[in-house]
Amino acid sequence: MNIIKNQEFGGERPLYASHDLRIEDVTIHVGESSIKECSNIEAERCTFEGKYVFWCCDGFRVRNCLFREGARSSLWYTRGCDMADSLVEAPKMFRSAEDIKLRNVKMTSAQETFWSCRNIDIEDVEIDKCDYVFMYCQNVKVRNLKINGNYSFQYAKNVEIWDSDLQSKDALWETENVTVYNSFINGEYLAWHSKNVRLVNCRIGGTQPLCYADGLVLENCTFEPDADLAFEYSDVQATILNNVPSVKNPRTGSIHAESIGEIIIDGNIKAPGDCKITQG
């Protein structure tokens, strides 16, 4: 493997089409496509300032690196990214990429990040200012993920979330095959139009959660005081350990809660309209 240490690059494509390359303590200044069409790349203690850094790359390992704001859109059309102990200040990272592994990574301005990606494995990651993160992603597994941004995981499929904190309205919108364990999901309109969402030991906040859902399952969850008007037009099987502020027109299934502030069944309920609701 070739090694480049303590050097600076800029401009267009300075390391284009490199293979079997390790860069250490390297700075990539303003420019474009610095490490494009490359394979088997290792980067350690590097700083990236120019945009489109890793495009169309196959197999790269990133450790203790910094992606400045100018390094936007830097991980597109890639395969085999292993990133750890790094700080990402740039938006629009990871598009149409696959086989992504992140450990102990902080992303501070992650708008439009992780779009149309597959095979994602994330642990101990913080993502801030991240509207539309994980949109259209498939085969995602995350643990100890902190999100502060709306519309997370829209249209995603085959997702497993553990021990996480999602501060996100419209989270899990129109998702399919999602399981969330031991997590706090806080934001209005949770999981509308979803299929096969399962929440286990989760805490739920925000108005009108879990409506228009098919195959919805809740196991031993709790509701925040603002999580009202829940389950409208949903097919649901739910056990809830505390008070639900209100339940409105669930379509079918069963709901059991410690208590329910208000049960609203009116003329707008949809067939079959046979959801069994119990308290106590």
Side-chain angles (χ1 to χ4, degrees), residues 64-267:
N64 298 294
C65 288
L66 170 61
F67 291 80
R68 295 286 191 192
E69 183 179 357
R72 61 194 296 119
S73 307
S74 277
L75 294 145
W76 290 31
Y77 307 107
T78 62
R79 182 169 60 249
C81 172
D82 182 351
M83 180 186 295
D85 306 319
S86 295
L87 173 62
V88 180
E89 298 174 343
K92 298 187 177 182
M93 308 290 271
F94 294 105
R95 295 280 189 96
S96 300
E98 59 183 281
D99 300 330
I100 302 163
K101 179 180 178 181
L102 268 62
R103 295 291 185 271
N104 189 33
V105 172
K106 187 172 183 179
M107 310 180 80
T108 60
S109 187
Q111 299 94 334
E112 302 177 25
T113 290
F114 289 113
W115 280 17
S116 300
C117 295
R118 295 181 297 171
N119 307 332
I120 302 171
D121 180 357
I122 286 177
E123 188 168 345
D124 300 325
V125 169
E126 296 183 25
I127 310 180
D128 196 14
K129 299 177 184 175
C130 58
D131 286 357
Y132 297 104
V133 70
F134 297 108
M135 190 164 69
Y136 288 113
C137 285
Q138 297 187 38
N139 308 329
V140 182
K141 185 173 183 179
V142 304
R143 185 181 293 273
N144 194 26
L145 171 67
K146 294 182 180 179
I147 283 180
N148 184 18
N150 298 316
Y151 323 115
S152 59
F153 295 98
Q154 283 201 359
Y155 318 119
K157 294 182 179 180
N158 307 326
V159 178
E160 188 175 304
I161 300 171
W162 289 80
D163 307 316
S164 294
D165 185 343
L166 311 184
Q167 301 294 314
S168 176
K169 75 175 183 180
D170 291 357
L172 309 183
W173 186 285
E174 206 170 321
T175 52
E176 186 173 346
N177 301 333
V178 175
T179 304
V180 187
Y181 300 92
N182 312 324
S183 297
F184 182 27
I185 311 174
N186 186 38
E188 57 198 24
Y189 316 132
L190 169 64
W192 279 40
H193 301 285
S194 61
K195 294 182 180 179
N196 303 328
V197 167
R198 178 177 171 232
L199 308 178
V200 182
N201 302 327
C202 288
R203 181 177 156 207
I204 297 162
T207 189
Q208 300 178 60
L210 306 165
C211 300
Y212 292 91
D214 287 325
L216 175 65
V217 175
L218 279 72
E219 300 175 21
N220 302 325
C221 292
T222 59
F223 274 47
E224 295 291 286
D226 64 345
D228 60 344
L229 301 173
F231 305 120
E232 187 173 22
Y233 303 144
S234 287
D235 160 21
V236 54
Q237 301 289 332
T239 56
I240 302 160
L241 301 180
N242 67 340
N243 179 69
V244 179
S246 56
V247 169
K248 184 175 182 180
N249 287 340
R251 192 173 77 252
T252 191
S254 68
I255 299 167
H256 179 78
E258 181 183 76
S259 61
I260 300 174
E262 183 180 14
I263 299 173
I264 303 166
I265 305 295
D266 60 28

